[in-house]
Amino acid sequence: MADFEERRSLLGDEDERFVGDREPQRGAGGTGGTGAMPAICDPRHLLHRVVVLVFMCFLGFGSYFCYDNPAALQTQVLQDLNLNTENFMRLYAWYSWPNVVLCFFGGFLLDRVFGIRFGTIIFSVFVCAGQIVFATGALLNHFWLMEAGRFIFGIGGESLAVAQNTYAVNWFKGKELNLVFGLQLSMARLGSTVNMNIMGWVYNKVAGLVGSPGYTALGGSLMIAAVTCLFSLICALVLAYLDKRAERILQKEQGGTGEVIKLTDVKDFPLTLWLIFIICVCYYVAIFPFIGLGQVFFIEKFNFSPAEARAVNSIVYIISAPASPILGFLVDKTGRNVVWVIIAVTATLAAHMMLAFTFWNPWIAMSLLGVSYSLLACALWPMVAFVVPEHQLGTAYGFMQSIQNLGLALIAMAAGAILDTRGYLVLEVFFCACICMALMAVVMLYFVDYLRGGDLNQSAAARARLQKEATSDAENKRRPTPRPLLDPSVITCPQECFEMMSFIRLPAPPPAL
């Protein structure tokens, strides 16, 4: 999902949690009185927030589960619908196209138009409707309808990730926030992993029920997958109720995304930020399109069964679920973000070269790819906050996501065309070339940053020290300084004369005789 939700761990760490900010008047139903409510019903209590967290995590489960349905059923889609690979990859391109634009407006729609609760429900409806249209297109053997379904699905998918993270910030600002984002990321990876490993089995069961494989079995399988999106829609409705109830009980204001998009800021972006954009695009176009095409690759080159191919193709997501919070903690403690990005890009290049030019067990290369993918996400996305001021963060991240989706849409179609005409070896060389461009960009970033003082590649201790000094300076500037008594020799204006006279206490007149 373009890893939109991974960069959000930057938000809110320094803020205080809203829960407990006010001492609410509690009673039955939260409307008044002094009676105590059960802990599981009390928005101030940890147990209640754990319940909310469960619904938050499952809010995006259906979206992530269904995003890679084409990859999990690549063989079946190609055979049952009689498609070539270029047309198959258009299913991923159509998901990305709306997000070239919507990434700038998703936060605005949530903040200013719909509100977080209604907006989350709307985006969940788009995801659910898109998957149903996608499945209906397969049932009717109308590929154009499947493309329309993926477009509708894309309208809701990325914006739903924004809404999910907004809920997390609103409920868990403070020390719990990073843990919550880690759990949400793990649930997203779980959805992708379950999809990769279960959809083939679902297809076989449906084919057995209808009597034979074909587009009817494919459409039925995709319609069953839509149940996960319906479940996520139910989670959106429950979250809206719980958030509305907490707003009433705690007398809090409805939170926003915190994203401020101002496209005119683009002209002020520094060179280092443009290099980060290049790294992002060139790296991710060698990850997601490859996973989308991976099943047939492992079947043809390594003679894997479809089940084995789906399992090895999902190892990137399996590793990312536990590795992302661990590697994020490592980057936080050590700093040196640029060095970690260099390591991640180099490891990814090595993994693709192993897959392209060797017949080693692909579990080795895919495991290395999973670790390096997680490491890059932890080290690359936070760097944006180091090079642009806070008021430009929304624009920077929106632009970064926009060009990432543009790159994914174009490269998805290009990868399909290359595979149809040149084969998997040339496709892997193409992916290696993309990674090499990312490596050149990150090396340039290292030297540009070094010439400008090395802010991006500082150690964690040095960064913390500078932040502490900056905080102290800001506090000193805000602290009022006592005005010294004025020296008459330096008085230069009537206003200063007036101020000086206000300090002069004349002797009292003698009492009248």
Side-chain angles (χ1 to χ4, degrees), residues 61 64-74 76 88 92 188-203 225 287-296 298 305-318 363 366:
F61 182 86
Y64 283 94
F65 182 91
C66 293
Y67 169 75
D68 267 324
N69 277 172
L73 297 173
Q74 181 186 357
Q76 292 85 345
F88 170 80
Y92 283 96
R189 296 293 174 259
L190 178 63
S192 301
T193 302
V194 173
N195 160 71
M196 287 289 189
N197 290 279
I198 201 176
M199 284 305 295
W201 176 83
V202 171
Y203 177 88
I287 301 295
F288 295 114
F290 171 76
I291 293 175
L293 295 168
Q295 182 183 346
V296 174
F298 293 117
S305 67
E308 292 173 329
R310 286 191 293 269
V312 70
N313 201 31
S314 67
I315 192 63
V316 173
Y317 295 140
I318 294 175
W363 285 92
M366 291 300 287

Side-chain angles (χ1 to χ4, degrees), residues 113-400:
V113 181
F114 301 132
I116 178 62
R117 292 185 286 266
F118 187 49
T120 303
I121 294 172
I122 288 178
F123 295 139
S124 297
V125 169
F126 269 105
V127 168
C128 191
Q131 180 66 17
I132 291 174
V133 172
F134 179 55
T136 304
L139 278 171
L140 300 177
N141 195 19
H142 292 327
F143 185 68
W144 65 267
L145 191 58
M146 297 179 69
E147 291 179 301
R150 290 292 284 185
F151 183 85
I152 297 170
F153 185 87
I155 292 174
E158 295 292 323
S159 297
L160 184 61
V162 176
Q164 184 181 28
N165 288 297
T166 303
Y167 265 128
V169 172
N170 292 344
W171 278 85
F172 295 95
K173 286 180 181 178
K175 62 182 180 181
E176 297 163 333
L177 188 60
N178 280 333
L179 173 62
V180 169
F181 278 124
L183 290 173
Q184 287 184 343
L185 178 60
S186 296
M187 183 59 68
R189 296 293 174 259
L190 178 63
S192 301
T193 302
V194 173
N195 160 71
M196 287 289 189
N197 290 279
I198 201 176
M199 284 305 295
W201 176 83
V202 171
Y203 177 88
N204 292 333
K205 291 296 182 181
V206 175
L209 289 175
V210 301
S212 64
Y215 60 82
T216 303
L218 177 64
S221 303
L222 295 174
M223 196 65 75
I224 291 174
V227 175
T228 62
C229 297
L230 181 61
F231 175 66
S232 294
L233 175 58
I234 294 173
C235 291
L237 294 170
V238 174
L239 273 175
Y241 167 75
L242 293 175
D243 193 64
K244 180 66 175 179
R245 178 176 176 274
E247 181 182 32
R248 183 180 69 251
I249 294 174
L250 301 178
Q251 303 173 20
K252 69 182 183 71
E253 295 182 359
Q254 186 176 167
T257 64
E259 293 186 357
V260 179
I261 306 297
K262 190 177 180 182
L263 295 181
T264 54
D265 290 337
V266 173
K267 64 180 180 8
D268 300 322
F269 287 167
L271 175 61
T272 49
L273 184 60
W274 289 105
L275 290 173
I276 291 173
F277 291 163
I278 294 173
I279 297 166
C280 175
V281 175
C282 294
Y283 183 87
Y284 282 107
V285 297
I287 301 295
F288 295 114
F290 171 76
I291 293 175
L293 295 168
Q295 182 183 346
V296 174
F297 170 72
F298 293 117
I299 292 174
E300 291 188 359
K301 180 170 183 177
F302 299 97
N303 295 319
F304 280 9
S305 67
E308 292 173 329
R310 286 191 293 269
V312 70
N313 201 31
S314 67
I315 192 63
V316 173
Y317 295 140
I318 294 175
I319 290 177
S320 178
S324 293
I326 296 173
L327 294 173
F329 177 80
L330 177 63
V331 174
D332 284 341
K333 290 299 181 182
T334 60
R336 308 293 184 189
N337 290 61
V338 180
V339 172
W340 286 117
V341 172
I342 291 175
I343 293 172
V345 174
T346 304
T348 302
L349 179 61
H352 271 292
M353 293 183 71
M354 280 190 280
L355 292 170
F357 303 116
T358 74
F359 285 89
W360 297 351
N361 191 322
W363 285 92
I364 300 173
M366 291 300 287
S367 298
L368 180 60
L369 190 64
V371 174
S372 57
Y373 161 73
S374 303
L375 179 59
L376 180 121
C378 296
L380 180 69
W381 290 91
M383 285 199 293
V384 175
F386 301 152
V387 297
V388 297
E390 184 177 356
H391 69 276
Q392 292 182 346
L393 272 180
T395 306
Y397 277 126
F399 196 81
M400 189 173 181

Side-chain angles (χ1 to χ4, degrees), residues 6 14 18 32 67 214 264 304 336 418 431 451 472 498-499:
E6 290 172 0
E14 72 280 5
F18 81 80
Y67 169 75
T264 54
F304 280 9
R336 308 293 184 189
I418 291 172
F431 286 146
L451 294 175
S472 299
F498 180 80
E499 292 177 355

Side-chain angles (χ1 to χ4, degrees), residues 94-104 153-159 398 401-403 405-406:
W94 279 110
Y95 174 89
S96 296
W97 284 126
N99 293 297
V100 175
V101 177
L102 277 179
C103 57
F104 289 111
F153 185 87
I155 292 174
E158 295 292 323
S159 297
Q401 187 189 1
S402 175
I403 62 173
N405 277 284
L406 178 61

